[in-house]
Amino acid sequence: MLATIGNTPLVELRRLYPDTDTRVFAKLERANPGGSIKDRSALSMLLDKVRAGELTAGRSVVVESSSGNLGIGMAQICRYFGLRFICVVDAKTTEQNIAILRAYGAELEVVTERDALTGEYLPVRMRRVRELLTELPHAYWPNQYGNPLNPRAHEKTMREIDEALSGRIDYLLCATSTTGTLSGCARYVREHGLRTEVVAVDAVGSVLFGQPAGRRLLPGHGASIRPTLLDPGDAAEVIHVSDLDSVVGCRRLVLREAILAGGSSGATVAALDRLIRRVPAGATCVLIFPDGGDRYLGTIYSDAWVNQHFGEVAHLWKDPGRVPVGAARAAGAQGC
Ligand SMILES: Cc1ncc(COP(=O)(O)O)c(C=O)c1O
């Protein structure tokens, strides 16, 4: 099972921008066994410790805060090694993610109160993690927001892209939250002297790159804290994408390319909509699609949900001539 993590497909998108000579490729991370790019981070943060005998079945407890993909990746790998895993989630974690976590055998701690200062669940989830670490002997906290093994995993993500395209990558668009993907890819680009401009795709309302905090609807990209991993110098450029533009990006992607992708993938499409107007002729752009759309059927792919939050917007993806730019009412946010 572990060997099926990584080496995900890189596909050319020929129908999104039919009238340009820009080549666009997408790295489909949903092909990982846990369904997202976070399988790579989870494996990287656990494997060395297991090999070194620092994490052992029947003794160690892995504790992590995640309401989504990282938790699922961790749950899968902990199951594989027979490690006890406690996942600290919050009241906004979807029923589907909770069911997946339980199916892998994770124990769940559900935080139901928001932080008094910020109104967010994340600070309360982090406090609960720290309590568990003091309460439980032999507990290990991978800490995806600060563990250098998280970005290390993505040097390989970038190596796979580099090898597939023989280094000819002009732009790489990465959605950001812990910034592990951004940082690992940027490091590979620097160390291998690639010409690639690494573009961070962040959510409107995320505090990562100095913008004010705001409420967000879509989980995945964006963050309400600035991770210790974050190095703003890793991004040649940052593009902020609203929830609505991310939804439109997803809907255009499935309509044109038959790719059912998650919200942060739609955000990278929306970011490319803006970037493509100024990329040099014949450029090659790569988008990382962190997960699939099956975890967003009740939101992004539900007409009723979209209508409730954004009104009648279907013309934005059905009209092929229209490229959406900045919009969106936003409410609510989820952690990574
Ligand atoms: C769907 C999705 N997109 C993007 C990201 C951001 O990736 P990173 O944490 O490497 O910045 C995450 C993180 O969990 C994610 O789940």
Side-chain angles (χ1 to χ4, degrees):
M1 191 284 289
L2 300 185
T4 67
I5 296 176
N7 296 315
T8 49
L10 185 75
V11 297
E12 184 160 12
L13 308 183
R14 297 213 170 107
R15 300 171 181 184
L16 262 188
Y17 304 100
D19 303 328
T20 70
D21 63 357
T22 306
R23 295 191 77 190
V24 180
F25 293 85
K27 184 88 169 141
L28 303 184
E29 290 296 311
R30 72 177 294 179
N32 286 298
S36 85
I37 195 165
K38 302 302 281 197
D39 282 10
R40 296 177 187 261
S41 313
L43 181 62
S44 176
M45 291 188 281
L46 292 179
L47 193 59
D48 285 354
K49 295 225 165 249
V50 171
R51 284 192 179 141
E54 290 172 42
L55 290 176
T56 49
R59 184 168 189 265
S60 311
V61 191
V62 177
V63 180
E64 183 60 289
S65 157
S66 166
S67 56
N69 289 328
L70 192 268
I72 292 170
M74 280 280 164
Q76 167 191 245
I77 291 158
C78 287
R79 180 76 264 123
Y80 182 84
F81 288 120
L83 297 167
R84 186 175 165 205
F85 174 48
I86 302 178
C87 192
V88 181
V89 301
D90 63 50
K92 287 210 320 240
T93 309
T94 64
E95 278 178 29
Q96 188 183 12
N97 282 358
I98 286 183
I100 297 171
L101 287 163
R102 288 222 164 95
Y104 278 119
E107 294 167 45
L108 300 182
E109 285 267 339
V110 186
V111 161
T112 50
E113 283 162 41
R114 292 175 190 266
D115 178 52
L117 205 64
T118 61
E120 298 275 353
Y121 287 113
L122 188 60
V124 187
R125 286 200 335 229
M126 300 307 243
R127 281 200 285 279
R128 185 63 194 131
V129 166
R130 290 199 176 87
E131 280 166 16
L132 287 166
L133 292 175
T134 54
E135 285 165 18
L136 298 166
H138 313 299
Y140 166 59
W141 176 31
N143 185 11
Q144 60 165 334
Y145 289 93
N147 188 335
L149 292 173
N150 171 9
R152 181 92 39 90
H154 299 292
E155 291 175 40
K156 178 167 183 296
T157 312
M158 190 63 211
R159 186 168 76 228
E160 292 169 19
I161 297 169
D162 177 27
E163 286 172 0
L165 296 174
S166 308
R168 288 188 294 274
I169 308 137
D170 297 293
Y171 296 89
L172 176 81
L173 280 76
C174 285
T176 49
S177 181
T178 66
T179 66
T181 312
L182 172 77
S183 162
C185 290
R187 183 173 186 167
Y188 181 96
V189 164
R190 276 195 305 271
E191 288 185 352
H192 291 78
L194 301 190
R195 65 190 190 202
T196 315
E197 285 218 355
V198 181
V199 178
V201 178
D202 197 13
V204 171
S206 160
V207 303
L208 286 173
F209 296 96
Q211 298 267 319
R215 288 165 71 90
R216 292 171 287 121
L217 282 174
L218 298 176
H221 60 305
S224 57
I225 54 163
R226 298 191 88 208
T228 45
L229 288 178
L230 171 67
D231 177 354
D234 283 335
E237 178 173 351
V238 182
I239 299 181
H240 284 91
V241 178
S242 68
D243 284 328
L244 173 56
D245 289 347
S246 304
V247 169
V248 173
C250 286
R251 293 295 195 110
R252 283 179 54 227
L253 202 53
V254 71
L255 199 66
R256 304 258 185 109
E257 301 279 354
I259 295 176
L260 190 71
S264 60
S265 309
T268 64
V269 171
L272 185 59
D273 285 344
R274 289 185 223 165
L275 190 69
I276 206 157
R277 298 168 187 161
R278 53 187 160 91
V279 303
T284 296
C285 302
V286 177
L287 312 179
I288 297 182
F289 287 172
D291 65 0
D294 21 10
R295 290 182 187 154
Y296 305 81
L297 296 178
T299 54
I300 293 168
Y301 298 99
S302 155
D303 290 341
W305 184 89
V306 171
N307 202 281
Q308 178 195 339
H309 291 284
F310 307 109
E312 281 295 341
V313 288
H315 60 280
L316 292 176
W317 57 82
K318 291 199 171 132
D319 172 5
R322 183 128 181 214
V323 174
V325 269
R329 280 179 268 142
Q334 268 190 344
C336 186

